[in-house]
Amino acid sequence: MTDNAAALNSKRVPGRKPGPAQRDELLRIWGHVDEDGRKLMLFFARTLARDQGLVPPDTPL
């Protein structure tokens, strides 16, 4: 139940949902990097989301 409450309180960025072109590009890149590269991409994405206030500051990286 607390997970749902945290999701409702997160900051949303209107109009920033990636479209099919961005999804295709991400999947193309994702398929060509090794496991360490994928971990780095996820770390960067989580750090960016935390810095921009899209997830709570105590969210683990």
Side-chain angles (χ1 to χ4, degrees):
M1 186 74 163
T2 57
D3 291 335
N4 291 338
L8 293 176
N9 293 331
S10 66
K11 182 179 172 185
R12 303 295 295 172
V13 180
R16 290 305 211 173
K17 185 175 180 181
Q22 289 84 13
R23 182 180 184 279
D24 290 344
E25 179 70 5
L26 177 64
L27 291 176
R28 185 185 68 78
I29 294 168
W30 190 265
H32 287 88
V33 297
D34 61 0
E35 188 63 29
D36 288 336
R38 290 184 191 116
K39 288 179 186 178
L40 186 60
M41 289 169 59
L42 287 173
F43 181 81
F44 175 77
R46 290 173 182 154
T47 302
L48 185 62
R50 219 164 73 172
D51 290 349
Q52 292 187 0
L54 300 174
V55 297
D58 60 343
T59 301
L61 296 173

